[in-house]
Amino acid sequence: MDKEKIFEIELSRWNPSGANPLAGITLPATPYELADTLERAGITGDTVYSVEVLSSQMDYLPQFIQPDINLHELNHLAQRLSSLSEWDLDCFEGTVMMDAVQTQYAPIPAERLINMTHSTDQCQIAYEAYDDPSLGKFYADNDFVPALEKVSDEVYAYLDFGKIGKEMREGEGGVFMSHGYVVQNGEIAADYHSGDAVSLEKPDYAVLLRVTKGYFSGPAQDSEPAVYLKLPATDAALINAMDAVGAASPEECAFSAEDCMAPFLTEKINDALYASEGGCYGLVNELAEQLRQLETENRLPTYKAMLEEAPGDLSLEEALDLASMTEEFKLLSDSVSPAEYAKKEIQRMLSLSDDNGLILFCNLDNYGRYLLEQRGAAETEYGLLEPQNGMTVDQCLNRPGQSFGMEMK
């Protein structure tokens, strides 16, 4: 199977304030995409969260995924499934359904599902068999039933293939699938152990580029060697990458972004690299340096919230400019709704430690939205983004024809 998206999922966590942040993602995903999703859902450390599979290429599979599955393990399962051939996927489906029959269709632990992807060599498929009679005839025709080897042709025609197939299926524990009959001849592998896919270390790059020899306008060559370049990178690291793919200069290389500390920028970087035929590599490397600096100063979440509020046609140059403007905004990550924003503002104005029952008599959501509009603040998946100097993200870009300052409504 091509490396397509296997699952579309949504994460949620319980929030005592009543606002439950949700964050969606498609899997398999990159390390920074996973981290970003957890951040948007407000999940840190040992936070308890649940996973809902909204859709899957394998429509039979979501019912067997436990809602408390670890995101990294579900992503690892998606990676494994995306690497399997069609035959392997048929075997995997059969293995899952054989388990389901034994457990009355109970959810299957992530560890076992992942190990099923390592066990397809223990399966056999009879594509010709779709029910007991066709299975019985398949076994008999191929001499898989020793007792029938000496049966004459005259008697053979009167055999009860349905009975033969039923006995073979029940004895083997095989199952009929839409693509045929699947049987497992060995044990499920134990290659993967629970927790193996959960990485406690952050990636050691801000942007990860895939480097190949070739030109952006030329046809892709799957046989061409590829290396990964971690940005920010030194000139020496770039030269080493060029040498590894056999390129004499950056102009002979094609670059593509595989992952980025700010996932919103991955596609932007790819588009810019393609449009410039790699000519903006220096700009991308400079942006990677800025991202690393923002992370060090704990301003990366603010920057990602700014990117969410930026116009869709944001250029890479503008993204780099915004990276130097994060101090113009304050990210209220603990205020995930207008109502919470209004509640804290009222508490601040009245010097209250709690709402003293105020929530029972006020429409906090409407008041919060009024405050957000008046202050030019914005709701983002990372929290409420509040301007500190009266300028929105759009206005910070200083595009021609823009007006400055927030108009009073």
Side-chain angles (χ1 to χ4, degrees):
M1 174 180 288
D2 294 335
K3 290 189 176 181
E4 302 171 351
K5 297 304 182 182
I6 303 298
F7 301 116
E8 180 185 356
I9 69 168
E10 193 170 67
L11 297 186
S12 62
R13 67 174 174 88
W14 179 75
N15 185 357
S17 70
N20 298 311
L22 301 174
I25 187 174
T26 53
L27 304 178
T30 67
Y32 277 130
E33 288 172 339
L34 296 177
D36 183 72
T37 302
L38 292 171
E39 181 181 2
R40 288 185 285 114
I43 298 169
T44 59
D46 296 328
T47 303
V48 176
Y49 63 90
S50 62
V51 174
E52 180 182 0
V53 180
L54 303 178
S55 65
S56 171
Q57 282 195 31
M58 283 136 282
D59 55 7
Y60 66 89
L61 191 53
Q63 64 181 313
F64 299 111
I65 294 176
Q66 297 173 323
D68 62 347
I69 190 171
N70 180 277
L71 175 61
H72 292 87
E73 291 197 312
L74 183 57
N75 189 59
H76 186 64
L77 174 62
Q79 290 173 330
R80 286 290 307 158
L81 291 171
S82 70
S83 70
L84 298 182
S85 67
E86 290 298 327
W87 185 87
D88 287 327
L89 288 172
D90 289 344
C91 290
F92 174 79
E93 181 180 357
T95 306
V96 169
M97 299 313 295
M98 280 184 274
D99 242 40
V101 170
Q102 297 296 321
T103 64
Q104 297 184 333
Y105 290 81
I108 301 173
E111 179 181 17
R112 186 164 178 83
L113 284 172
I114 293 170
N115 278 320
M116 286 178 179
T117 68
H118 291 280
S119 306
T120 56
D121 59 342
Q122 299 296 322
C123 293
Q124 291 183 341
I125 302 177
Y127 288 106
E128 303 92 332
Y130 49 87
D131 56 14
D132 285 337
S134 59
L135 177 63
K137 190 170 189 313
F138 172 80
Y139 270 51
D141 287 349
N142 289 277
D143 297 329
F144 293 147
V145 186
L148 301 179
E149 291 180 359
K150 296 182 180 181
V151 171
S152 65
D153 292 342
E154 291 79 4
V155 175
Y156 189 86
Y158 291 97
L159 292 176
D160 186 345
F161 293 115
K163 181 179 180 181
I164 294 171
K166 183 174 184 293
E167 290 182 355
M168 297 301 294
R169 173 177 56 79
E170 292 178 346
E172 297 174 332
V175 292
F176 291 112
M177 310 302 301
S178 60
H179 47 264
Y181 176 74
V182 182
V183 62
Q184 181 184 336
N185 295 324
E187 297 295 324
I188 299 295
D191 293 3
Y192 179 84
H193 300 91
S194 183
D196 285 354
V198 182
S199 175
L200 299 178
E201 298 181 0
K202 292 182 179 180
D204 58 350
Y205 55 82
V207 176
L208 184 65
L209 294 185
R210 185 174 185 269
V211 186
T212 58
K213 183 181 180 180
Y215 297 90
F216 285 86
S217 58
Q221 300 293 331
D222 292 337
S223 60
E224 290 286 352
V227 297
Y228 291 94
L229 181 61
K230 299 175 181 179
L231 304 186
T234 62
D235 290 343
L238 175 59
I239 291 172
N240 288 337
M242 289 161 39
D243 290 342
V245 299
S249 67
E251 288 72 27
E252 290 185 9
C253 295
F255 302 93
S256 60
E258 297 289 310
D259 196 14
C260 178
M261 189 178 285
F264 173 88
L265 292 176
T266 304
E267 186 176 351
K268 297 284 184 185
I269 293 172
N270 265 327
D271 291 344
L273 287 169
Y274 184 84
S276 66
E277 296 190 353
C280 70
Y281 167 81
L283 176 64
V284 175
N285 199 37
E286 183 180 356
L287 180 58
E289 292 175 349
Q290 285 287 337
L291 290 172
R292 181 66 74 201
Q293 183 67 26
L294 288 172
E295 181 191 38
T296 301
E297 298 173 354
N298 199 29
R299 290 188 289 138
L300 185 61
T302 301
Y303 180 61
K304 292 196 288 186
M306 293 168 64
L307 291 175
E308 184 180 327
E309 281 302 296
D313 61 348
L314 182 77
S315 69
L316 214 55
E317 290 83 0
E318 289 175 323
L320 182 59
D321 290 340
L322 286 180
S324 64
M325 302 180 188
T326 54
E327 292 182 352
E328 302 294 324
F329 295 86
K330 181 179 181 181
L331 181 64
L332 306 175
S333 57
D334 57 342
S335 296
V336 295
S337 70
E340 289 183 350
Y341 186 70
K343 180 179 176 180
K344 291 181 179 180
E345 177 64 13
I346 293 172
Q347 290 173 352
R348 184 192 66 79
M349 290 189 299
L350 301 180
S351 300
L352 300 175
S353 59
D354 57 51
D355 61 43
N356 287 332
L358 190 63
I359 191 172
L360 300 175
F361 303 98
C362 293
N363 189 325
L364 294 179
D365 185 71
N366 282 352
Y367 181 52
R369 293 187 184 282
Y370 169 79
L371 290 175
L372 292 178
E373 183 178 2
Q374 292 298 306
R375 298 173 181 179
E379 295 179 75
T380 78
E381 291 193 85
Y382 304 93
L384 298 178
L385 187 66
E386 190 177 64
Q388 297 300 286
N389 294 309
M391 293 179 63
T392 65
V393 173
D394 276 4
Q395 291 166 342
C396 285
L397 294 175
N398 196 20
R399 288 181 170 181
Q402 252 178 353
S403 61
F404 292 89
M406 293 178 293
E407 296 181 2
M408 297 298 291
K409 304 294 183 181

